Amino acid sequence: MFHGAITSGRPYPLGATWDGEGVNFAVFSQHATRMTLCLFSADGRWEAEWIDLPDREGHVWHGYVPGLRPGQAYGFRAHGPYRPDEGHRFNPHKLLLDPYAKRIAGRLEWDPALFGYDVASKHGDLTFDTRDSSNFVPRAVVTDPRLDARGERRPDRPLTETVIYEAHVRGLTMGRSDVPLRGTFAGLASDPVLEHLTGLGVTAIELLPVHAFLDDKFLLDKGLRNYWGYMTLGFFAPEPRYLSNGDPEEFRAMVRRFHSAGIEVILDVVYNHTAEGNQMGPTLSFRGLDNASYYRLAESPRYYLNDTGTGNVLNLDHPFVMRMVMDSLRHWAEAMGVDGFRFDLATTLGRTARGFDRNHPFLQAVRQDPVLGRLKLIAEPWDVGPGGYQLGAFPPPFLEWNDKFRDQVRRFWRGDRDMTRKLAMRLSGSALKFDHDGRPATSSVNFVTAHDGFTLMDLVSYRTKHNEANGEDNRDGHSENHSDNLGHEGPTDDPAIRAQRARRRRNLMATLLLAQGTPMILSGDEIGNGQGGNNNAYAQDNPVGWVDWDHADTEFLAFCRRMIDLRKRHPILRQKRFLHSRSRSIDGQVDLFWRRADGMPMTEVDWNDQDQRLIAVEMRVASETPDHIVRACREDAVFAVFNAGEESLVFLPEPPLDRAWVLHMDTADPEAEPVRIHRALKVAAESVAVLALEPKPLSRP
């Protein structure tokens, strides 16, 4: 190893920074008494040198090592008090991963040496373990800082055009034999995947966690692994298993490929907790560097707050912890080129000691940030902590996952009573939740299915969950899924049941794409993918959790394409303003009408009828042009019928003399060509019909 003597260096930027001549190391620890840099041999297998960082400014330890280059593997050992009852868990026998590592090499191997205490002692975490952990933990690797996406052209899609596709890097690609380098970022950006997504019509792909994470020991002991990735170990580094050659540039190349196809990339990020767990967890990075600063501790600081249900909570009240999260977000936005973030358990990120605060410093910091504030920001508005359910409470520009949409749309099509009023609320953008503080109608991220729960096919094929493969005696996962097997549990050859399931899926997908808000589709739903009734496939990195391309339902795929195209062609289905059944300021016309089958407006009696199974909605929006004549011709109007009951004759609103209603989609006959409808439409049982107001052809002289 050829380098000169270490010098003071600088306290910024945090992490390892190569300047062309050497590497500056800077790491935060408020309570450490000494910080040792560990440099590894060229093959990364053994520690070649220990060097104490020579300087400290505030709470940042730093030093500069001339001669080091990108590719150098390293770690830290932090010295300080080991007093768990006071919240301190320093143990220099444990090699620690740099929280700012942008590349991670090697896999974690579970061994008793990973723990700061003697796992065999009856005194548990109050003991002190002297075994060295360096042979069992990943190493940070110095990278070239010239990786930068600033200045590159992005799709920059407005939310009114956005259709999100939630996917898993491995899950989407492992089942396709025509994809090279399956299971990697390179495979995800391959031609077959891009052709599928562009053909489908989605505009953004939302990836389950791609930050470096670990496999939980209890899963490995059962022959499983952490598939979803919600156990982050490094907030700056791509997960090594998704890199075909170990180089983070592969992620950047993937983003560029998606951008060239007009598709944005959104990351599901987990800043609410880390992979180190509770007081009985391993010492891998944050705990060993400064436990009392990185984590929110209980009144007795030996223990951790657990609002996430995973054992710990990151302490965003500490300025350096918030700085780490903000730096991580900017790194992925600027250096890696991503277009947005979905914040897992976002309520945790806005919680103070007094409870959730929509003006929490972290939420304010993201909102005002000139880089982050312009991206697509999506909150999962709940956690398991006190006051954890906060749907509708996040400030703009945050969007929010809307679980009420998921549950109530499912229940309407299952035939539950008293669901018509609730469906109307969801179709109109859940305005009672989101129409405040200047938030647009796109604030609600509408979904029927997501990674956490049944797939769309399983939703209509199983009455109960079947999670036995997870090894938890089917106790895990949600028990109330508002699902229906339509007469048989699981797959069947019965043509009547199969046809009914296919129509139910079309109804659910149509409802999603006709509702005000930002729609999100779960990957594989468009081709009929199932998981055998497993509604919690977090540990199923195998065909259970992967999308099944070999048995793709091409008819349903064609239907999804048509529905997405219909949404794109009619701005009324994807506009920013909430529709409130009141006069528009532009022309005095009412923008939203709720109707019964006889064409008359819904009354309070109708809304309160618990057995009401049909509702029709007429939506209108006018172009904002000063020319009244042009505006009238360009008015966009859609009439949609949602019928969860028996066949019904539905009377249409009277169109202007020069226009007519055209039926564009009938989920009971999805391949039918558009047809002009005059006074009334026979709507089949359990179906959706969509009509648009269009100009009549000019008559011949």
Side-chain angles (χ1 to χ4, degrees):
M1 187 170 299
F2 301 97
H3 63 77
I6 189 168
T7 61
S8 176
R10 299 179 300 177
Y12 57 87
L14 290 167
T17 306
W18 180 60
D19 63 5
E21 298 181 357
V23 178
N24 189 82
F25 295 91
V27 60
F28 158 75
S29 180
Q30 181 174 344
H31 298 100
T33 58
R34 176 180 156 205
M35 188 67 63
T36 301
L37 170 68
C38 305
L39 300 177
F40 282 80
S41 59
D43 60 10
R45 299 182 63 181
W46 55 279
E47 290 175 273
E49 194 167 0
W50 288 13
I51 309 171
D52 284 346
L53 294 182
D55 209 345
R56 176 179 181 177
E57 183 171 317
H59 303 311
V60 177
W61 301 78
H62 55 92
Y64 180 86
V65 184
L68 293 186
R69 299 184 55 80
Q72 174 66 55
Y74 71 98
F76 295 111
R77 294 179 185 270
H79 306 256
Y82 186 85
R83 293 196 288 268
D85 284 335
E86 298 176 17
H88 299 306
R89 295 178 179 269
F90 293 98
N91 188 332
H93 302 283
K94 312 304 169 184
L95 184 73
L96 306 175
L97 185 70
D98 182 0
Y100 277 71
K102 297 179 176 64
R103 178 176 179 180
I104 295 175
R107 302 295 302 169
L108 183 139
E109 179 181 344
W110 285 98
D111 186 272
L114 297 177
F115 298 82
Y117 63 94
D118 183 354
V119 295
S121 172
K122 65 179 181 180
H123 299 292
D125 64 308
L126 296 178
T127 61
F128 185 78
D129 187 80
T130 59
R131 283 170 287 194
D132 194 287
S133 68
S134 64
N135 289 332
F136 308 103
V137 293
R139 289 89 162 88
V141 179
V142 177
T143 59
D144 188 335
R146 288 175 293 187
L147 190 68
D148 198 330
R150 282 175 290 190
E152 293 183 6
R153 189 170 182 177
R154 301 168 182 248
D156 198 23
R157 296 269 194 174
L159 284 169
T160 52
E161 297 179 4
T162 297
V163 179
I164 299 172
Y165 186 84
E166 190 196 29
H168 188 284
V169 175
R170 284 178 58 81
L172 188 59
T173 60
M174 288 300 291
R176 288 199 64 147
S177 59
D178 59 343
V179 169
L181 301 172
R182 290 179 293 171
T184 68
F185 297 121
L188 189 65
S190 64
D191 287 343
V193 175
L194 292 179
E195 289 168 4
H196 175 77
L197 296 181
T198 54
L200 180 59
V202 297
T203 67
I205 186 167
E206 181 177 306
L207 298 178
L208 268 68
V210 301
H211 291 175
F213 60 88
L214 60 75
D215 290 311
D216 311 72
K217 185 178 185 303
F218 80 95
L219 292 177
L220 294 176
D221 290 343
K222 294 188 291 185
L224 301 171
R225 65 191 303 190
N226 181 355
Y227 174 50
W228 285 351
Y230 289 93
M231 277 294 177
T232 307
L233 183 59
F235 293 110
F236 292 77
E239 167 54 36
R241 75 185 69 178
Y242 300 153
L243 296 169
S244 62
N245 59 7
D247 188 349
E249 170 58 25
E250 182 176 329
F251 180 92
R252 279 289 303 115
M254 177 200 71
V255 173
R256 286 194 295 268
R257 288 271 292 163
F258 274 111
H259 285 177
S260 68
I263 297 173
E264 295 180 309
V265 178
I266 300 170
L267 300 186
D268 191 338
V269 288
V270 188
Y271 295 114
N272 53 77
H273 72 279
T274 79
E276 291 185 308
N278 63 15
Q279 71 276 4
M280 306 308 290
T283 296
L284 307 174
S285 178
F286 316 96
R287 174 175 286 133
L289 286 169
D290 196 342
N291 184 67
S293 295
Y294 275 106
Y295 293 115
R296 293 185 64 196
L297 303 180
E299 184 175 352
S300 172
R302 176 184 174 186
Y303 303 102
Y304 297 77
L305 293 182
N306 189 22
D307 296 341
T308 63
T310 60
N312 65 55
V313 176
L314 271 179
N315 180 23
L316 293 188
D317 291 338
H318 194 289
F320 270 89
V321 180
M322 183 190 290
R323 175 179 169 180
M324 177 187 71
V325 174
M326 295 295 292
D327 286 348
S328 169
L329 290 167
R330 292 192 198 98
H331 168 71
W332 290 97
E334 294 185 305
M336 303 302 242
V338 305
D339 306 283
F341 302 96
R342 180 264 191 188
F343 294 90
D344 178 65
L345 301 183
T347 300
T348 302
L349 306 179
R351 182 180 281 108
T352 68
R354 297 178 300 277
F356 178 78
D357 182 359
R358 70 194 308 267
N359 293 315
H360 187 283
F362 171 70
L363 301 179
Q364 297 287 57
V366 173
R367 295 174 69 196
Q368 64 80 39
D369 190 276
V371 173
L372 305 177
R374 62 180 176 81
L375 303 182
K376 291 178 172 62
L377 306 172
I378 304 170
E380 183 183 36
W382 51 75
D383 67 8
V384 299
Y389 189 74
Q390 293 292 332
L391 179 67
F394 282 77
F398 282 93
L399 287 65
E400 299 177 40
W401 271 27
N402 189 345
D403 64 322
K404 288 189 178 296
F405 184 97
R406 176 196 65 198
D407 294 346
Q408 293 172 2
V409 168
R410 289 181 178 191
R411 294 184 62 195
F412 176 83
W413 287 113
R414 190 174 66 172
D416 290 9
R417 302 183 71 213
D418 196 27
M419 294 308 301
T420 302
R421 180 191 291 270
K422 295 181 176 65
L423 179 69
M425 293 170 63
R426 304 310 148 217
L427 290 171
S428 54
S430 300
L432 289 178
K433 287 290 183 181
F434 294 104
D435 189 12
H436 59 84
D437 202 18
R439 303 182 77 178
T442 50
S443 297
S444 174
V445 175
N446 299 330
F447 64 102
V448 176
T449 56
H451 70 275
D452 187 3
F454 277 147
T455 68
L456 189 61
M457 178 60 85
D458 286 356
L459 185 66
V460 301
S461 303
Y462 294 92
R463 197 178 294 271
T464 60
K465 63 182 180 178
H466 296 270
N467 298 352
E468 290 81 5
N470 295 348
E472 300 179 44
D473 297 323
N474 206 32
R475 294 189 304 270
D476 61 305
H478 297 292
S479 295
E480 182 49 80
N481 298 283
H482 310 299
S483 61
D484 186 4
N485 63 23
L486 295 168
H488 179 84
E489 190 76 352
T492 178
D493 293 328
D494 187 315
I497 295 178
R498 290 168 65 91
Q500 193 175 4
R501 288 176 178 177
R503 186 184 296 193
R504 179 72 58 84
R505 285 189 289 137
R506 292 194 293 269
N507 292 341
L508 290 161
M509 184 64 73
T511 306
L512 172 66
L513 292 167
L514 292 170
Q516 303 296 318
T518 302
M520 184 185 79
I521 299 169
L522 173 63
S523 62
D525 276 355
E526 76 279 12
I527 60 170
N529 181 64
Q531 294 179 169
N534 192 320
N535 75 349
N536 188 33
Y538 76 104
Q540 299 299 324
D541 190 3
N542 53 51
V544 172
W546 302 339
V547 173
D548 180 4
W549 293 96
D550 291 337
H551 301 91
D553 184 342
T554 55
E555 292 181 357
F556 189 64
L557 175 60
F559 171 82
C560 292
R561 288 171 173 166
R562 285 187 61 187
M563 281 304 309
I564 292 175
D565 182 66
L566 180 67
R567 181 181 179 87
K568 289 181 177 180
R569 287 188 287 109
H570 291 281
I572 184 62
L573 300 174
R574 51 179 181 80
Q575 42 76 57
K576 290 175 61 176
R577 294 189 180 93
F578 285 94
L579 305 179
H580 282 299
S581 299
R582 56 180 178 238
S583 299
R584 304 182 296 231
S585 60
I586 184 172
D587 58 5
Q589 299 297 311
V590 176
D591 57 16
L592 183 69
F593 305 84
W594 298 104
R595 301 189 185 276
R596 305 182 311 210
D598 62 4
M600 299 301 292
M602 291 280 288
T603 67
E604 196 62 30
V605 172
D606 297 321
W607 288 118
N608 290 325
D609 181 358
Q610 295 190 9
D611 293 318
Q612 181 82 8
R613 294 287 189 270
L614 182 149
I615 189 170
V617 60
E618 179 187 0
M619 296 171 280
R620 293 176 178 266
V621 66
S623 171
E624 295 189 24
T625 170
D627 188 331
H628 176 75
I629 297 176
V630 173
R631 180 173 66 239
C633 292
R634 293 177 59 187
E635 183 172 61
D636 187 27
V638 168
F639 186 78
V641 183
F642 302 85
N643 181 22
E646 299 300 318
E647 179 182 273
S648 181
L649 187 66
V650 176
F651 287 85
L652 308 180
E654 188 70 30
L657 292 176
D658 62 340
R659 299 173 77 91
W661 289 108
V662 177
L663 178 65
H664 281 278
M665 179 57 70
D666 179 359
T667 61
D669 188 9
E671 298 181 3
E673 294 297 318
V675 59
R676 192 185 306 176
I677 305 296
H678 297 287
R679 187 70 186 95
L681 172 69
K682 184 178 291 185
V683 178
E686 298 187 21
S687 66
V688 176
V690 188
L691 304 94
L693 195 61
E694 297 183 359
K696 291 181 179 178
L698 295 176
S699 59
R700 296 183 182 273

